[in-house]
Amino acid sequence: MEERAMIFIDGSNLYHSLKQHFARTDLDIGKFARKLLGRRSVVRIYYYNARVGFKEEPDRYRQQQAFFASVNAIPYTELRLGRLVYNNWPSVPPYEKGTDVQLATDMITHGFKNNYSVAILVAGDNDFVSAIQSVKDNGKHVEVALFGQEGTSRRLRSVADKVTNINARLLKDCWKETMSQKPYEAE
């Protein structure tokens, strides 16, 4: 029986990790997803992020909209947006609200609906441990793709059925072809 997979990407975590580990953010999400899938068929790719405020940051908002359009253009991909909360802007940076809960809820709901046999989570947040366990308890496999050394995200690594380390070798063929389009600055 062919394995059917869904990929759940924490966009903010991916962006900041790429910036920290590779000093670049021009990852081709479609190529990256195909690499994670291997020979499995894709059911859906969910990309989670928070919309920048137009009033607060009009330039970043426009860049982000272009980036979101490129994500929406990837076949079988859906963009799921939380929001950024601006308190005491610009002296205090905004914070994300709703994206992690939405990701965890979608991963659990699709698992219980039998929409996939394998969930692939691209995130490094230990807050997803309970959601992963819930999906596994429903008979699904859960893989986690994350950045960092073996000592990072220990709880996430221990609960996952399989861990894929996102490193230079994995990303070798996953960068965008040209740098003509300025990568979206998420945070």
Side-chain angles (χ1 to χ4, degrees), residues 122-135:
V122 180
D125 192 334
N126 284 323
D127 289 345
F128 292 118
V129 167
S130 294
I132 291 170
Q133 189 61 57
S134 178
V135 169

Side-chain angles (χ1 to χ4, degrees), residues 70-154:
S70 74
V71 170
N72 275 326
I74 300 166
Y76 309 107
T77 300
E78 287 193 31
L79 192 56
R80 301 282 226 203
L81 297 176
R83 60 190 172 92
L84 283 180
V85 176
Y86 292 86
N87 288 331
N88 301 316
W89 173 260
S91 58
V92 176
Y95 61 92
E96 239 180 47
K97 196 78 172 152
T99 52
D100 288 356
V101 170
Q102 191 171 26
L103 187 157
T105 301
D106 286 349
M107 192 165 61
I108 292 168
T109 301
H110 285 294
F112 276 94
K113 288 182 174 183
N114 283 322
N115 291 339
Y116 63 78
S117 52
V118 179
I120 303 170
L121 173 64
V122 180
D125 192 334
N126 284 323
D127 289 345
F128 292 118
V129 167
S130 294
I132 291 170
Q133 189 61 57
S134 178
V135 169
K136 286 174 50 180
D137 290 348
N138 193 44
K140 307 299 179 201
H141 295 164
V142 181
E143 300 177 9
V144 175
L146 45 67
F147 293 82
Q149 301 303 318
E150 301 251 343
T152 61
S153 305
R154 279 191 187 96

